[in-house]
Amino acid sequence: MKATSLVIGLLGLILAAPSVADGAHMAQALQVCAKIERDLDRLDCYDRLAKQTSKTLTATPAPSTPTRDHKRDLVVSGEQAFGMERQLEQQTPDEITSRIIGEFHGWNGKTIFRLENGQVWQQSNSGRVVYHANNPKVTIKKGFFGSYRLYVEGLNASVAVRRIK
């Protein structure tokens, strides 16, 4: 929590600079946002950066962009999310596909799965499976009551997991 506050404070200093639209300041501000671990805090950082940047840019007509479905683009956090949990839940996919980084030997109780997409998942139930593969493709699917299951390509078994990063 202290690290997030520090990063947000640093972002405030960067955004207070006279010309955030300047390339050097923008790159520095983007790096600060990228280091925030919590998804919603990181997105909030990018949103504040975008708002500050738009204030410093000269008023030139924006290029035409396709119309977006704002219901699907809705991003809220904290009190704004209160009462909208079901709508927000519907915005996330039912499954993701990635690869486990490096050699995979199965799972044995508290196994950690590091994926190419940067996510880190941990086995959330007991059980043991031995299976050897290099960079295997995995699919993680939503289950009931907020649970998730990880499936490894070529393996006729799955394991309950929870996301830790």
Side-chain angles (χ1 to χ4, degrees):
M1 189 68 173
K2 289 181 182 180
T4 301
S5 298
L6 177 63
V7 170
I8 290 172
L10 287 172
L11 178 64
L13 290 173
I14 291 168
L15 293 179
S19 59
V20 174
D22 173 88
H25 290 291
M26 178 61 75
Q28 192 176 17
L30 289 170
Q31 287 175 351
V32 169
C33 290
K35 291 179 182 178
I36 298 174
E37 289 190 20
R38 277 193 65 226
D39 293 341
L40 289 175
D41 290 340
R42 185 174 53 255
L43 183 59
D44 187 47
C45 178
Y46 286 128
D47 287 346
R48 281 183 282 159
L49 179 61
K51 287 177 187 173
Q52 181 67 29
T53 302
S54 67
K55 289 178 185 175
T56 61
L57 295 175
T58 58
T60 57
S64 62
T65 55
T67 305
R68 298 171 70 180
D69 179 359
H70 292 291
K71 287 185 180 179
R72 291 188 320 147
D73 292 342
L74 178 66
V75 178
V76 294
S77 63
E79 288 183 4
Q80 291 177 335
F82 185 78
M84 297 186 66
E85 293 83 1
R86 287 188 181 164
Q87 291 89 334
L88 295 172
E89 184 177 300
Q90 293 172 1
Q91 293 179 28
T92 60
D94 290 332
E95 66 181 53
I96 62 159
T97 302
S98 187
R99 291 190 175 274
I100 292 177
I101 299 172
E103 291 190 34
F104 174 69
H105 301 287
W107 54 81
N108 61 11
K110 294 292 179 190
T111 302
I112 293 180
F113 305 92
R114 297 183 190 284
L115 306 183
E116 278 183 341
N117 66 6
Q119 295 180 357
V120 180
W121 294 76
Q122 183 174 24
Q123 182 177 351
S124 62
N125 65 354
S126 61
R128 179 179 168 90
V129 168
V130 176
Y131 181 78
H132 297 283
N134 193 26
N135 298 319
K137 182 178 177 181
V138 296
T139 301
I140 299 176
K141 296 182 180 182
K142 281 185 182 179
F144 294 109
F145 305 112
S147 66
Y148 296 90
R149 297 210 60 88
L150 180 138
Y151 298 83
V152 178
E153 185 176 62
L155 182 60
N156 192 21
S158 67
V159 61
V161 293
R162 65 183 172 85
R163 187 167 174 190
I164 59 176
K165 181 179 176 194

